[in-house]
Amino acid sequence: MADAMTNPIDFALGQRTRFYEELGAFLRIPSVSAKSEHDGDTERAAEWVREQLVRAGLEAETIATPGHPVVVGEWRGAGAEAPTVLIYGHYDVQPAEPLELWDSPPFEPEVRDGRIYARGSADDKGQLFLHIKALEAHLATRGRLPVNVIVLAEGEEEVGSPNLVPFVKEYRDRLAAQTVVISDSAMFAPGLPSLLFSLRGLAYFEIHATGPASDLHSGAYGGAVLNPANALARVVAGLHDESGRITIPGFYDDVLTPSDETLAGIRGLPFDADEYASEVGTVPTGGEVAFSPLERLWIRPSCDVNGMLSGYTGEGAKTVLPGKAMAKVSFRLVPDQSPERVRKLLEEHLARVTPAGVTMEVVELHGGRPWSARLEGPLFTAATRALERSFGATPVLTGEGGSIPIVVELEEILGASSLLLGFALPGANMHAPNEWFAKDCFEKGIDTLIHLYDELAAL
Amino acid sequence: MADAMTNPIDFALGQRTRFYEELGAFLRIPSVSAKSEHDGDTERAAEWVREQLVRAGLEAETIATPGHPVVVGEWRGAGAEAPTVLIYGHYDVQPAEPLELWDSPPFEPEVRDGRIYARGSADDKGQLFLHIKALEAHLATRGRLPVNVIVLAEGEEEVGSPNLVPFVKEYRDRLAAQTVVISDSAMFAPGLPSLLFSLRGLAYFEIHATGPASDLHSGAYGGAVLNPANALARVVAGLHDESGRITIPGFYDDVLTPSDETLAGIRGLPFDADEYASEVGTVPTGGEVAFSPLERLWIRPSCDVNGMLSGYTGEGAKTVLPGKAMAKVSFRLVPDQSPERVRKLLEEHLARVTPAGVTMEVVELHGGRPWSARLEGPLFTAATRALERSFGATPVLTGEGGSIPIVVELEEILGASSLLLGFALPGANMHAPNEWFAKDCFEKGIDTLIHLYDELAAL
């Protein structure tokens, strides 16, 4: 299959049309891991990844877990002396709801204005696919890779990777690698490639407020019976003070202040509040007033309602005093906060503030620790050079407000260092309607990764 | 058809089995006025009422409105010198959701422990039916009624009676009456019949909070973008202070203090907090701490969340920062508050408290003024005697936390006085799952109304 007549970069250029067609097929599989009705699709997506890895020239197998399967691809032809790089990605996607807000169906990819619109195009199918194609480009043109490669693609990232840590522990020897490479994040701006210095962690809960034994007539009982929906609104509102600071006692105890260098780096980045407002449709007034928007996103924890439901929410006026109310509330964490401690602090806080007449129950749905990169060394140098070669620009160091909880776990279990370089653009609507991935970033992304494998050989 | 061999009370006793069968047929019609999918059922319920009135011996017709039809029944054989009594009721019902909380299907009446369980059994089909059967008992045994009677049964009470006031104005002459009688409320306790001294009014709104242009990733934006669901929770929570008092400036300006006699009457009523707690499943800790539960229900306004929805509320953890959030919030009003003024005050309040980064829009869904009874005179005397004859107990004066907005309108348009005597029992789950009506109250209710028409002849 080797095509010595060309090099990997030119090969990728020549195969671009086919690459887009294949990506389209991948995006058309609605592999929503959170919904059991999509279990068949999720399995189909795993098999699709396995076949692609084999086509690229790796050995690959799909390995069952108690949840969705893990795909493992391997190429070990670089020899025992060469570095081994583990590429982590995920083939599952977020639910697409609310469907009515999509301009084109979430699982029918459509190209508009140089962007591929589809659920998973940015998070993370599109970016996992970049790696597969970069590997294919090397193997198709040179018959070999500059480093040993393991591809680890899971199908449960969007539901908190409940089976991945046990899996990695079980296959610890087979997955042994010095370096973990992950493309599941965004660039700071178009044309400005980025390397991550941190990821926030996550602690995601449901709070269930229960009051009367059943729904009541809001006239016959309103004013006497404490309304669980009012009580829950009060508890949720009380999680922040007027300055946007989270009020849970002890919540900030484990929050570290980043180095002066990191702080200076953040302050040096161009942030245009007007542009941000025009992108998201509103001014960035969330979070702590004492910090800048980028600081609030990257180095400060946050607390958001992800969903809230109580009573009658259909057409018209139902005069009901609901018997219960539910809020999904999640916290983004920064080093050295942990989801376990945040849960404990939240439960203690609720025990203090829950008024008589209702009960509050906390259910933990999802947790992950925050991560910090090692900012020096050959790994960063290699990544910087690869990005410079492809983008013609020096990458900036950025934080990431989102969470990839497996990063810390992979580092600890495998004894590896992680490199996170993503190719989505700001406003890509990951987790929202109209998710997109820029074609330009798709193409530069493959080139970057082709260069990266070369650079990593020098580690 | 007159059966001179017996009297109305004995007739009702003898026909009891048939009456229950007929009530069952009425309750089986799912006449949910709020849901257009039930429009056919609502129309069927109107026609059912019309046929029952004709069977009882009245002339009756179903009159179209821009919404659901109004049924008008008439018997004017008592002569121009005799009083005319207008009986108001409604044949529509609340939505039955959440269906899973019903122990038997809402539209398949089931008798358990001496109670008829079905949506509408208490509110108001069952109580409207009592009047029809009392009229039938008089006409079947005596061939006449002691007073002229108009029955006005609407099908939009549960959606705020949007077409009834125009209807009553249009048919003002035909509906002319000195007295309006309504059975759509509850007794204070089993065996303790009650006459209402007041009804609370209602001002029901949806508040829509809008922030970013679409749902966002809660990691990538959380802490920078103000979350509309957090902001709405804060606004809703802020509607009450720590003492349970509503914080909207000016809200209490129009609240009247009832007479010392009314206050003494309320304080004289037996209220067992433990019994109340066991009935509703929680202690009565809602509302203003400065007032007793009955005062908070009857003579003080209240504010309740009736429904709240934002973000992702399905299974699992979706890390979304919702672009919008909605709360249905209603206020119960007391004399002399008005829904128009409350709306104005709410809008002014929201304009002051809405933080930068979100917008709040208020949509009014439903409004009705509070009502106070005239507590002296022959009307109350007649009702007291009728209740004493049937129940063997002197009625107590009670307030009602719920609203029947049409009462004030009927009084004003027709120049009539209203008498509100209801036969539901506390905990009847009006507007909630497992609504019920006691068979004992059904039977005593018919007897009371048979006596009442006799007593009203003396007005």
Side-chain angles (χ1 to χ4, degrees):
Chain A
M1 178 148 176
D3 178 0
M5 297 300 291
T6 185
N7 64 51
I9 296 288
D10 291 339
F11 175 86
L13 181 62
Q15 299 293 316
R16 200 174 273 175
T17 304
R18 172 171 65 85
F19 288 179
Y20 279 125
E21 285 166 8
E22 289 172 350
L23 176 61
F26 193 17
L27 297 174
R28 266 187 283 275
I29 305 172
S31 48
V32 180
S33 50
K35 299 193 159 184
S36 49
E37 73 212 60
H38 285 294
D39 283 0
D41 300 313
T42 308
E43 197 166 333
R44 200 149 52 88
E47 178 57 23
W48 192 94
V49 171
R50 192 195 66 78
E51 286 170 9
Q52 277 281 321
L53 289 168
V54 170
R55 171 175 191 151
L58 285 77
E59 290 183 11
E61 71 174 311
T62 300
I63 303 176
T65 76
H68 300 300
V70 173
V71 186
V72 176
E74 291 166 275
W75 191 91
R76 297 185 184 274
E81 299 302 305
T84 300
V85 175
L86 184 142
I87 299 157
Y88 164 84
H90 63 94
Y91 63 83
D92 64 322
V93 298
Q94 276 280 311
E97 286 79 6
L99 299 178
E100 69 275 13
L101 296 183
W102 286 77
D103 294 328
S104 54
F107 298 107
E108 295 175 24
E110 187 173 297
V111 174
R112 298 194 299 273
D113 302 327
R115 297 168 168 186
I116 302 158
Y117 283 89
R119 170 58 85 229
S121 56
D123 180 15
D124 174 47
K125 281 176 170 174
Q127 303 206 58
L128 170 60
F129 187 76
L130 298 180
H131 280 277
I132 300 174
K133 294 297 111 175
L135 296 171
E136 180 183 325
H138 271 287
L139 287 164
T141 54
R142 297 178 180 163
R144 68 183 309 279
L145 293 169
V147 291
N148 298 307
V149 164
I150 303 164
V151 175
L152 177 70
E154 71 152 323
E156 303 189 314
E157 198 271 348
E158 300 295 2
V159 292
S161 304
N163 294 296
L164 194 64
V165 167
F167 182 93
V168 174
K169 284 181 175 164
E170 184 178 348
Y171 291 90
R172 180 194 314 249
D173 293 340
R174 184 166 162 189
L175 300 175
Q178 292 78 54
T179 302
V180 172
V181 179
I182 302 176
S183 298
D184 192 17
S185 51
M187 293 164 50
F188 185 73
L192 193 52
S194 313
L195 287 167
L196 284 193
F197 66 78
S198 69
L199 289 167
R200 290 196 291 188
L202 178 64
Y204 193 122
F205 307 99
E206 271 182 15
I207 305 175
H208 293 270
T210 312
S214 70
D215 287 357
L216 299 172
H217 187 301
S218 66
Y221 294 90
V225 171
L226 182 61
N227 185 319
N230 288 67
L232 184 59
R234 195 170 190 87
V235 161
V236 168
L239 292 173
H240 290 95
D241 69 15
E242 291 291 335
S243 73
R245 203 175 150 84
I246 292 163
T247 58
I248 299 171
F251 183 81
Y252 290 96
D253 286 356
D254 296 329
V255 172
L256 302 181
T257 303
S259 66
D260 291 346
E261 197 184 338
T262 303
L263 290 174
I266 295 172
R267 283 170 199 145
L269 286 171
F271 181 83
D272 183 327
D274 290 341
E275 193 179 305
Y276 192 85
S278 98
E279 177 205 317
V280 302
T282 189
V283 289
T285 53
E288 299 168 90
V289 296
F291 293 85
S292 75
L294 291 182
E295 289 169 334
R296 277 143 46 197
L297 278 174
W298 295 345
I299 63 167
R300 298 297 295 177
S302 61
C303 167
D304 273 286
V305 172
N306 305 104
M308 204 158 180
L309 180 64
S310 66
Y312 180 75
T313 58
E315 180 191 356
K318 184 177 181 188
T319 48
V320 62
L321 191 164
K324 58 187 183 173
M326 182 279 290
K328 293 180 192 259
V329 176
S330 65
F331 299 84
R332 296 288 164 168
L333 312 181
V334 300
D336 277 330
Q337 292 181 296
S338 76
E340 295 75 22
R341 182 155 159 80
V342 167
R343 178 189 176 137
K344 180 172 169 287
L345 294 174
L346 175 65
E347 285 177 336
E348 289 170 359
H349 175 69
L350 291 182
R352 278 187 299 268
V353 300
T354 300
V358 298
T359 58
M360 300 271 172
E361 188 202 359
V362 173
V363 178
E364 186 174 346
L365 291 184
H366 195 148
R369 281 180 288 163
W371 169 82
S372 299
R374 292 172 211 167
L375 290 175
E376 301 97 21
L379 190 53
F380 255 67
T381 305
T384 301
R385 291 188 49 157
L387 287 166
E388 284 172 346
R389 287 171 69 181
S390 173
F391 283 85
T394 300
V396 292
L397 288 179
T398 60
E400 163 60 47
S403 310
I404 312 176
I406 193 62
V407 176
V408 176
E409 303 285 352
L410 284 173
E411 288 195 341
E412 288 187 1
I413 300 167
L414 303 177
S417 293
S418 299
L419 180 68
L420 276 75
L421 76 172
F423 302 96
L425 286 180
N429 293 326
M430 290 178 174
H431 294 212
N434 299 316
E435 179 177 350
W436 57 271
F437 194 64
K439 289 179 72 178
D440 177 59
C441 291
F442 179 86
E443 292 155 18
K444 286 210 169 59
I446 292 175
D447 287 356
T448 302
L449 296 174
I450 290 171
H451 294 311
L452 179 67
Y453 299 133
D454 280 331
E455 297 289 344
L456 288 174
L459 285 185
Chain B
M1 178 147 175
D3 178 359
M5 298 300 292
T6 185
N7 62 52
I9 297 288
D10 290 341
F11 175 86
L13 181 62
Q15 299 293 317
R16 199 174 274 173
T17 305
R18 173 172 63 84
F19 287 179
Y20 279 124
E21 284 168 6
E22 290 172 352
L23 175 61
F26 194 16
L27 296 175
R28 266 187 283 275
I29 306 172
S31 47
V32 179
S33 50
K35 298 192 160 186
S36 49
E37 72 212 60
H38 285 294
D39 283 359
D41 300 313
T42 308
E43 196 167 334
R44 200 148 54 87
E47 177 56 22
W48 191 93
V49 170
R50 192 195 66 77
E51 285 170 9
Q52 276 280 322
L53 289 168
V54 170
R55 172 175 191 151
L58 285 78
E59 289 182 8
E61 72 173 310
T62 300
I63 303 176
T65 77
H68 300 302
V70 173
V71 187
V72 176
E74 292 167 273
W75 190 90
R76 297 185 186 274
E81 299 302 306
T84 298
V85 175
L86 185 143
I87 298 157
Y88 164 83
H90 63 94
Y91 64 81
D92 65 321
V93 298
Q94 277 280 312
E97 286 78 9
L99 299 179
E100 69 276 13
L101 296 183
W102 286 79
D103 294 328
S104 53
F107 298 107
E108 295 175 24
E110 187 173 297
V111 175
R112 297 193 300 273
D113 302 328
R115 297 167 168 186
I116 302 158
Y117 282 88
R119 171 57 85 228
S121 56
D123 180 16
D124 176 48
K125 281 175 169 175
Q127 303 207 57
L128 171 60
F129 187 75
L130 299 179
H131 280 277
I132 299 175
K133 294 297 111 176
L135 296 171
E136 180 183 324
H138 270 287
L139 287 163
T141 53
R142 296 175 179 165
R144 69 185 308 280
L145 293 168
V147 291
N148 298 306
V149 163
I150 302 162
V151 174
L152 177 70
E154 72 152 323
E156 303 189 316
E157 199 271 347
E158 300 295 4
V159 291
S161 303
N163 294 296
L164 194 64
V165 166
F167 182 92
V168 173
K169 284 180 175 164
E170 183 178 349
Y171 291 90
R172 180 196 311 252
D173 294 340
R174 182 164 162 191
L175 300 175
Q178 293 78 54
T179 303
V180 172
V181 179
I182 303 175
S183 298
D184 192 18
S185 52
M187 296 165 47
F188 184 72
L192 194 53
S194 314
L195 286 168
L196 284 193
F197 68 77
S198 70
L199 288 166
R200 289 197 292 188
L202 178 65
Y204 193 122
F205 307 99
E206 271 181 16
I207 306 174
H208 293 269
T210 312
S214 70
D215 287 357
L216 299 172
H217 187 301
S218 66
Y221 294 90
V225 171
L226 182 61
N227 185 319
N230 288 67
L232 184 59
R234 194 171 191 88
V235 161
V236 167
L239 292 173
H240 290 95
D241 68 16
E242 291 291 334
S243 73
R245 203 174 150 86
I246 293 164
T247 57
I248 299 171
F251 183 80
Y252 289 96
D253 287 355
D254 296 328
V255 172
L256 302 181
T257 303
S259 66
D260 291 346
E261 197 185 337
T262 302
L263 290 174
I266 296 171
R267 284 171 198 145
L269 286 170
F271 181 83
D272 183 328
D274 291 342
E275 194 179 304
Y276 192 86
S278 97
E279 177 205 317
V280 301
T282 189
V283 290
T285 53
E288 297 167 274
V289 297
F291 293 85
S292 74
L294 291 181
E295 289 169 335
R296 277 143 45 196
L297 279 174
W298 295 345
I299 63 168
R300 300 296 297 176
S302 61
C303 167
D304 274 285
V305 173
N306 306 105
M308 203 156 182
L309 180 65
S310 67
Y312 179 74
T313 59
E315 179 192 353
K318 185 178 179 187
T319 47
V320 61
L321 191 164
K324 58 185 183 172
M326 182 280 291
K328 293 180 191 257
V329 175
S330 66
F331 300 84
R332 296 287 165 170
L333 312 181
V334 300
D336 280 332
Q337 292 182 295
S338 75
E340 294 74 21
R341 183 155 158 78
V342 167
R343 180 191 174 134
K344 182 170 168 288
L345 294 173
L346 175 65
E347 285 177 336
E348 288 170 2
H349 175 68
L350 291 183
R352 278 188 298 267
V353 301
T354 299
V358 298
T359 59
M360 300 271 173
E361 187 202 359
V362 173
V363 178
E364 185 175 348
L365 291 184
H366 194 148
R369 281 180 287 163
W371 168 82
S372 298
R374 292 173 212 168
L375 290 175
E376 302 97 20
L379 190 54
F380 255 67
T381 306
T384 301
R385 291 187 49 157
L387 287 166
E388 284 172 344
R389 285 171 71 182
S390 173
F391 282 85
T394 301
V396 292
L397 288 179
T398 60
E400 162 61 45
S403 310
I404 312 177
I406 193 62
V407 175
V408 175
E409 302 285 352
L410 284 173
E411 288 195 341
E412 288 187 1
I413 300 168
L414 303 178
S417 292
S418 299
L419 180 68
L420 276 76
L421 75 173
F423 302 97
L425 287 180
N429 293 326
M430 291 175 173
H431 294 213
N434 298 316
E435 179 176 350
W436 56 271
F437 195 65
K439 289 180 73 177
D440 177 58
C441 291
F442 179 84
E443 292 155 18
K444 285 210 170 60
I446 293 176
D447 287 357
T448 302
L449 296 174
I450 289 171
H451 294 312
L452 178 68
Y453 298 134
D454 280 331
E455 298 289 344
L456 289 174
L459 285 186

